[in-house]
């Protein structure tokens, strides 16, 4: 997977289809932090045969370098925010839309990466197959983060951040590893309602042993989706963690890739038998 400059600021990794001409283009938005997917991308997407893959990284992220979250560097921390990331990702997606051949598009968000998918979907509505959420609850980020902190036994952090977000402190102040600009974007960011109005199918994959996000968050989103425009397919994996790995070494994504390839071949999402609509 060579790196390519998809935009003035964003670095992208790309790969052609493994077998024959590509049937669709998969655009992947990685999760939180500054770690690039380069070191694991080849293995991660190994079983995906029919897709041309583009992985778009946040600005000031190097695709082949994966530092721990507390070593992202000041440049990344000060630039990082959902609004800036969404703006840059939309520009990158517009560039990718000019690629030939024009292919059906599938958008995938990994954890935090899903938070900008509704805007990317709106820009790509004409050729969009649907969305894939990996370990992303679908709830508004501030609510999901509150539930995450409760699960981790750190509920007091949420109250502290809320006070800082609504204070007169400068945007550049770093609190719990992020700038207040980042936290302020997150606090007012809509996720659930924009998702529920999407006309294309949404496939959500999560593990019931997720160590970060409680099952109640995923279940709350599924409940809110009932009777709404969006067609939701929920694929819950027993014993899988936030990275979608099970204790016996199963990487859930390898079970997912054939589903996506069939989706492109059939022109519709066939919700797996072990999943729920």
């Amino acid at each position: 997977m060579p790196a390519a400059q998809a935009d003035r600021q964003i670095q992208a990794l790309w790969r052609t289809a493994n077998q024959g001409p590509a049937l669709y283009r998969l655009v992947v938005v990685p999760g939180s932090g500054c770690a690039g997917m380069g070191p694991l991308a080849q293995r991660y997407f190994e079983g995906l045969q029919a897709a041309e893959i583009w992985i778009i990284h946040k600005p000031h992220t190097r695709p082949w370098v994966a530092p721990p979250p507390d070593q992202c560097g000041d440049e990344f921390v000060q630039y990082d925010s959902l609004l800036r990331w969404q703006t840059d990702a939309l520009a990158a997606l517009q560039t990718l839309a000019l690629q030939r051949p024009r292919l059906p598009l599938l958008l995938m968000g990994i954890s935090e990466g899903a938070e900008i998918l509704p805007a990317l979907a709106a820009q790509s509505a004409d050729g969009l197959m649907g969305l894939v959420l990996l370990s992303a609850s679908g709830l508004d980020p501030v609510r999901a983060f509150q539930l995450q902190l409760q699960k981790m036994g750190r509920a007091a952090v949420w109250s502290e951040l809320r006070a800082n977000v609504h204070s007169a402190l400068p945007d550049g102040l770093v609190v719990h590893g992020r700038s207040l600009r980042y936290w302020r974007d997150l606090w007012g960011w809509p996720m659930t309602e924009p998702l529920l109005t999407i006309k294309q199918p949404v496939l959500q994959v999560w593990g019931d042993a997720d160590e970060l996000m409680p099952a109640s968050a995923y279940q709350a989103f599924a409940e809110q989706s009932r009777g709404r425009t969006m067609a939701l397919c929920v694929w819950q994996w027993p014993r899988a963690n936030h990275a979608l790995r099970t204790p016996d070494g199963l990487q859930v994504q390898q079970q997912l890739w054939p589903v996506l390839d069939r989706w492109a071949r059939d022109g519709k999402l066939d919700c797996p038998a072990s999943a729920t609509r």
Side-chain angles (χ1 to χ4, degrees), residues 233-244:
C233 171
V234 178
W235 208 3
Q236 177 187 344
W237 277 84
R239 303 185 304 140
N241 64 11
H242 192 71
L244 295 175

Side-chain angles (χ1 to χ4, degrees), residues 219-234:
Q219 292 160 355
F221 178 68
E223 184 62 31
Q224 291 182 61
S225 75
R226 300 185 196 283
R228 299 301 299 269
T229 301
M230 181 194 64
L232 178 65
C233 171
V234 178

Side-chain angles (χ1 to χ4, degrees), residues 86 107-109 111-122 128 130-141 144 189-205 217-218 220-222 224-233:
Q86 178 174 280
L107 295 172
M108 174 182 290
S111 191
E112 182 201 53
E115 291 166 8
I116 66 170
L117 287 196
L120 302 188
L128 184 64
L131 308 183
V132 181
L133 312 182
L134 300 187
S135 296
S137 72
L139 298 181
D140 289 351
W189 199 261
M191 175 72 174
T192 302
E193 192 59 31
L195 269 181
L196 295 179
T197 58
I198 285 175
K199 297 179 181 178
Q200 294 83 4
V202 175
L203 173 59
Q204 183 185 47
V205 185
Y218 296 104
F221 178 68
Q224 291 182 61
S225 75
R226 300 185 196 283
R228 299 301 299 269
T229 301
M230 181 194 64
L232 178 65
C233 171

Side-chain angles (χ1 to χ4, degrees), residues 63-100:
W64 292 98
V65 180
D70 61 349
Q71 296 180 24
C72 284
D74 290 343
E75 191 175 33
F76 174 86
V77 171
Q78 287 299 323
Y79 190 85
D80 187 28
S81 80
L82 283 170
L83 181 58
R84 286 175 170 177
W85 178 210
Q86 178 174 280
T87 300
D88 292 332
L90 284 167
L93 194 63
Q94 189 172 31
T95 300
L96 293 183
L98 302 176
Q99 297 286 325
R100 295 293 187 271

Side-chain angles (χ1 to χ4, degrees), residues 25 27 38 40 72 120 126 135 137 151 157 165 212 235 256 272:
R25 180 170 291 133
V27 173
L40 59 87
C72 284
L120 302 188
D126 289 345
S135 296
S137 72
K151 179 179 176 66
V157 172
V165 161
L212 298 182
W235 208 3
L256 173 64

